Amino acid sequence: MRGSHLFTKTRREAPKDEVSKNAQLLIRAGYIHKELAGVYSLLPLGLRVIKKIEQVIREEMEAIGAQEGALSSLQDPDIWKKTDRWEGKADDIWLKTKLANNTELGLAFSHEEPWTRIMQDHVNSYRDLPFSAYHFAQKFRNELRAKSGLMRGREFLMKDLYSFSKNQEELDSFYEDVRVAYENVFKRVGIGNTTYFTFATGGVFSKWSHEFQTVSEAGEDTIYIDNEKRIAVNKEVYTDDVLKDLGLTKENLIEAKSIEVGNIFKLGTHYSDALGLVFQDEDGHEKPVVMGSYGIGLGRLMGTVAEILSDEKGLVWPESIAPFTYHIVSLAGGDEATEARATSLYEAMITRGISVLYDDREVRAGEKFADSDLIGIPYRIVVGKKSTDDLFEVIRRSNGEVLSMTRDELVGG
Ligand code: ATP
Ligand code: MG
């Protein structure tokens, strides 16, 4: 893509009411637009990052055998009434709406109920189990505080995965697969080192749930980390009894603020009991399906990466989720030979399918560099009057390292 074609502009200042670093940076660099508190729209650069994150997650879900669907975010109150989540405690979180004839509808804050009901049509006998299904879907939550930018939206994209098993052992084994898949996701998007498998409240169905918590001052959670074991305990469950249970000692734990990037739950038969999702076992008995649910917020993940991998100059994307891999910055300044050199390199790269943004705008070099730092593409190729047709200066955004690369190396010849 050509910079002169990209409609988004960078800006020096974020909106005054935006207090979170991730949203400030992403707005200034032209990735997102703030509609309302907790409501953000994706601009072309932001959409590219979300699509990359989506693909990383999709590959890890497919690797554990999960199948992708796509459910509506408009929800039928009936099934939520059966699980007692339409009114009462869940009331604060719902955004509800009505049809013209006054029929109530829910705007999805989660999808356990609809996925469970769908499976009634597809599960009969033990031969149909186990399996798992996931989707990427918009969620709506009436979040009380929405001051953390993309990390706490009132509308956000979530990948949620649901597993359907015959018994506890099958669930436990799949749960372990998901743990590994999640660890791969967080590694691949560049936060593996700072993300911990964390013991958290389990709700009514199991002793624990597990969160994936990324250490960051911008986080809303507090965890206690055992660095040797690479696990952590959420403050919500941090008691002497729990530590004893997990074989942890207080002296070895470090307190840290953190961001919950993922959460996995063993649901047991809670939803299948309530909604009547049963199967015929080998012995001919009818049994409830044993379920699990597993979520990752894509916006929260993007916000987390923006938050912790950025520096004073701007965003610093890992290659895996960067909107582009290369950023050609042409310093032609009216010099035709330089411009021709930059354009020729750009055209050769796109012909080879290489992901590249070409800053061909007629603006000062200083402005181009500042924009390029802010946008945070992993490699900047500087084409100036001193470049030759064959040798280019390439600067790695993450550490400022200057590489000298030939045209063949860049074009992948
Ligand atoms: P939190 O405790 O942070 O409110 P939660 O426990 O309610 O989150 P889950 O229902 O477990 O979240 O949702 C699964 C994942 O969805 C979370 O781990 C997080 O990555 C993401 N998520 C949850 N709420 C939001 C939100 N308001 N904005 C963006 N992502 C979110
Ligand atoms: Mg949670």
Side-chain angles (χ1 to χ4, degrees):
M1 169 159 346
R2 283 174 183 262
S4 58
H5 179 70
L6 188 67
F7 73 80
T8 56
K9 305 250 185 320
T10 58
R11 48 195 270 190
R12 234 168 276 280
E13 307 284 341
K16 289 232 160 38
D17 64 342
E18 184 53 73
V19 292
S20 78
K21 179 167 112 185
N22 68 86
Q24 285 179 352
L25 280 170
L26 291 164
I27 291 170
R28 285 181 48 218
Y31 284 74
I32 62 173
H33 175 81
K34 183 172 188 170
E35 301 288 347
L36 297 163
V39 183
Y40 299 90
S41 295
L42 293 172
L43 301 174
L45 291 174
L47 181 63
R48 293 179 84 98
V49 175
I50 285 290
K51 289 286 171 200
K52 290 264 185 91
I53 293 175
E54 186 177 297
Q55 189 53 26
V56 167
I57 296 175
R58 177 175 291 119
E59 286 167 17
E60 296 300 334
M61 293 299 101
E62 299 289 326
I64 56 172
Q67 299 171 61
E68 186 172 359
L71 268 57
S72 174
S73 292
L74 292 180
Q75 299 192 330
D76 175 359
D78 286 354
I79 45 179
W80 294 84
K81 285 176 185 161
K82 288 190 178 145
T83 59
D84 210 17
R85 293 216 289 175
W86 183 249
E87 266 146 5
K89 238 174 80 185
D91 225 21
D92 320 339
I93 201 112
W94 272 112
L95 287 164
K96 295 177 179 174
T97 188
K98 273 185 186 154
L99 296 177
N101 68 5
N102 261 342
T103 305
E104 278 195 294
L105 286 184
L107 303 179
F109 74 83
S110 193
H111 275 89
E112 283 82 5
E113 282 80 349
W115 273 111
T116 307
R117 178 165 68 178
I118 286 175
M119 295 318 170
Q120 289 172 358
D121 291 349
H122 303 279
V123 173
N124 298 311
S125 92
Y126 65 93
R127 289 187 209 88
D128 300 324
L129 298 166
F131 68 93
S132 57
Y134 71 102
H135 68 165
F136 296 91
Q138 292 302 120
K139 308 287 186 215
F140 299 86
R141 291 187 183 183
N142 203 352
E143 298 282 1
L144 222 50
R145 289 172 56 252
K147 291 194 160 62
S148 296
L150 279 195
M151 299 191 312
R152 187 170 296 286
R154 294 196 162 107
E155 178 183 358
F156 59 97
L157 183 63
M158 193 200 287
K159 181 286 301 171
D160 35 332
L161 164 71
Y162 301 89
S163 65
F164 303 87
S165 307
K166 293 192 278 292
N167 51 46
Q168 188 69 31
E169 297 76 66
E170 263 179 20
L171 169 62
D172 291 347
S173 138
F174 186 75
Y175 196 83
E176 197 47 37
D177 291 350
V178 176
R179 174 186 177 161
V180 174
Y182 272 38
E183 281 168 356
N184 290 343
V185 168
F186 300 127
K187 234 181 266 165
R188 288 178 64 181
V189 305
I191 57 170
N193 287 340
T194 47
T195 301
Y196 293 86
F197 185 71
T198 303
F199 291 79
T201 33
V204 286
F205 340 112
S206 73
K207 193 164 180 187
W208 312 112
S209 78
H210 294 98
E211 297 168 340
F212 292 80
Q213 293 274 3
T214 307
V215 173
S216 165
E217 272 307 307
E220 296 177 3
D221 290 2
T222 302
I223 58 169
Y224 296 86
I225 302 167
D226 184 319
N227 251 317
E228 215 159 285
K229 300 196 167 115
R230 286 211 57 86
I231 58 173
V233 181
N234 193 308
K235 191 174 186 173
E236 321 166 322
V237 296
Y238 181 77
T239 62
D240 289 333
D241 281 351
V242 165
L243 296 185
K244 204 168 132 213
D245 212 12
L246 296 173
L248 298 172
T249 41
K250 259 195 180 129
E251 297 74 57
N252 296 337
L253 299 178
I254 302 164
E255 185 184 292
K257 293 191 75 178
S258 61
I259 303 163
E260 180 204 303
V261 287
N263 203 180
I264 62 179
F265 294 87
K266 292 181 182 175
L267 302 175
T269 60
H270 182 79
Y271 293 94
S272 42
D273 282 336
L275 291 161
L277 178 62
V278 293
F279 69 101
Q280 200 88 36
D281 207 353
E282 263 169 298
D283 57 16
H285 288 117
E286 198 169 76
K287 290 183 180 152
V289 172
V290 180
M291 292 173 54
S293 85
Y294 318 84
I296 297 180
L298 280 75
R300 185 175 292 185
L301 192 50
M302 177 173 167
T304 302
V305 172
E307 195 82 40
I308 68 178
L309 299 184
S310 53
D311 62 18
E312 66 292 344
K313 293 181 190 156
L315 296 158
V316 183
W317 297 109
E319 251 182 273
S320 56
I321 59 169
F324 296 93
T325 309
Y326 293 95
H327 198 174
I328 298 178
V329 175
S330 158
L331 305 182
D335 179 57
E336 277 178 28
T338 306
E339 192 182 325
R341 188 173 286 137
T343 303
S344 150
L345 176 66
Y346 168 67
E347 282 172 353
M349 288 176 84
I350 53 169
T351 308
R352 296 295 185 93
I354 294 165
S355 159
V356 53
L357 178 65
Y358 172 27
D359 191 350
D360 61 340
R361 297 171 306 157
E362 286 180 18
V363 299
R364 285 182 306 106
E367 196 175 329
K368 287 195 173 187
F369 287 144
D371 278 355
S372 163
D373 280 335
L374 179 59
I375 291 171
I377 292 169
Y379 297 97
R380 179 197 300 167
I381 307 172
V382 182
V383 185
K385 298 199 176 81
K386 279 184 289 183
S387 317
T388 68
D389 280 339
D390 195 45
L391 209 59
F392 295 91
E393 184 182 275
V394 180
I395 297 153
R396 201 198 295 274
R397 176 66 181 89
S398 60
N399 58 6
E401 188 184 350
V402 182
L403 314 160
S404 198
M405 289 179 78
T406 65
R407 186 185 159 99
D408 275 357
E409 282 171 330
L410 287 170
V411 175

